[in-house]
Amino acid sequence: MSSPNPSADFPSFSSPGTDPGSDKELSSTQALWRIARALPLVERSYAIIRFMILRVKLLATMDLMLPAEGPILDVGCGFGLWSAYFSQMQPGRRIIGIDPNAHRISMAQKVAQQLGVQTEFYAEDVRQSAARGPFRAVYLLDVLHHIPSADQISVVSQLTDMLEEGGTLLIKDITTKPWFGLKFTEILDRAMVGMKEELAYRHHNEWSELLREFGYTVRVVRVPDVLPYPHVIIAATKGKRPVAQAASGLN
Ligand SMILES: C[S@@+](CC[C@H](N)C(=O)[O-])C[C@H]1O[C@@H](n2cnc3c(N)ncnc32)[C@H](O)[C@@H]1O
């Protein structure tokens, strides 16, 4: 895999995406439907479930935290749903997705081709990734808890090396409290991955501490849901003093 060139000349887009068919502004919901329609039936059903879990408001929050242009790494991209979403919302982004599941990667490539978005996908485990960066942002959406606890710190270290100074490490994951929220999520995760894989959830304060030790300034928000998912978004800025450091203090 070749390293992306961060100094490439990207146009500066600051407004939401444009529907290539009509030149009209593309809403978040329209962008998601375009992704769903590009997938075969089984994968489309999975995508719609993911869209219902993640919700437009949560995606819009993450969208604002990501840079509007430049190279961005999507770790554990799966079917590339969010690469396709975030690159439709800001076409100046160049999103590189990695995931060890080759079937998901080939689907991600097909969807991206159909939508004409600026993305690349590679079938690889983050722990052996050839990606080097520097990236303006790296994000992991419901991926960190699928990485064994013994490897999580070295993965964070590796991703930190790939980020440019001032770059953003954006994590959407599940926190460990309240316990029934965690149990609810764990049951659904187990239904997806079976009983053998380790599910390595950590409390968001533990993640915040770890990230600070890597020199990040960290902000955390819990994202409420009608279902008991204990969603949390952790936005970490590499090596920069915070404008308003807001560790959540939530338990
Ligand atoms: C719950 S899915 C989330 C997929 C996608 N981020 C999304 O939100 O739809 C977790 C993904 O993490 C990927 N994954 C698990 N271990 C990984 C690793 N070591 N390196 C990269 N990706 C990994 C899985 O293959 C799977 O696609």
Side-chain angles (χ1 to χ4, degrees):
M1 174 178 167
S2 58
S3 293
N5 174 9
S7 61
D9 203 14
F10 290 102
S12 177
F13 289 91
S14 57
S15 57
T18 305
D19 182 346
S22 66
D23 261 6
K24 285 193 191 135
E25 193 174 287
L26 187 71
S27 75
S28 302
T29 315
Q30 286 167 326
L32 293 175
W33 274 116
R34 293 183 78 229
I35 298 166
R37 277 199 301 267
L39 284 162
L41 204 58
V42 175
E43 288 80 2
R44 185 181 301 176
S45 314
Y46 170 85
I48 290 170
I49 292 169
R50 286 298 289 150
F51 297 161
M52 281 158 48
I53 294 172
L54 268 299
R55 296 179 191 280
V56 168
K57 281 182 188 166
L58 196 153
L59 293 172
T61 306
M62 292 187 69
D63 190 12
L64 271 180
M65 290 172 175
L66 289 172
E69 54 193 48
I72 297 175
L73 185 68
D74 178 349
V75 177
C77 63
F79 295 106
L81 305 178
W82 317 127
S83 302
Y85 174 78
F86 292 129
S87 54
Q88 284 183 95
M89 298 321 288
Q90 293 291 342
R93 290 174 178 151
R94 180 171 151 232
I95 304 188
I96 290 126
I98 57 169
D99 197 290
N101 186 317
H103 168 68
R104 290 182 175 198
I105 287 294
S106 91
M107 279 294 153
Q109 285 162 338
K110 283 185 192 141
V111 170
Q113 201 176 11
Q114 208 164 314
L115 300 183
V117 287
Q118 205 182 191
T119 51
E120 295 166 37
F121 295 99
Y122 300 91
E124 56 181 23
D125 188 309
V126 65
R127 292 166 293 184
Q128 285 94 42
S129 175
R132 291 288 169 268
F135 294 97
R136 289 201 183 158
V138 174
Y139 67 89
L140 304 97
L141 240 146
D142 287 332
V143 173
L144 257 189
H145 62 264
H146 290 283
I147 293 172
S149 50
D151 295 337
Q152 285 176 334
I153 310 303
S154 58
V155 166
V156 169
S157 168
Q158 181 194 349
L159 297 178
T160 304
D161 290 342
M162 294 181 194
L163 259 184
E164 68 179 28
E165 205 57 22
T168 303
L169 177 62
L170 189 58
I171 297 167
K172 151 68 189 76
D173 218 279
I174 292 298
T175 191
T176 56
K177 284 184 185 167
W179 67 268
F180 58 86
L182 180 63
K183 264 288 157 238
F184 172 81
T185 312
E186 197 178 342
I187 289 165
L188 297 176
D189 270 336
R190 284 274 166 236
M192 292 297 294
V193 301
M195 297 307 286
K196 283 193 189 142
E197 183 182 309
E198 182 193 356
L199 292 170
Y201 310 98
R202 290 179 197 253
H203 191 273
H204 54 272
N205 286 348
E206 192 182 342
W207 275 121
S208 300
E209 274 314 306
L210 282 165
L211 291 168
R212 284 196 191 99
E213 280 166 25
F214 277 96
Y216 287 95
T217 57
V218 184
R219 302 186 67 189
V220 184
V221 285
R222 272 185 187 263
V223 186
D225 197 331
V226 282
L227 292 170
Y229 288 111
H231 296 302
V232 70
I233 297 178
I234 302 170
T237 308
K238 181 174 164 179
K240 254 196 173 172
R241 289 308 322 148
V243 177
Q245 180 150 6
S248 70
L250 293 169
N251 291 309

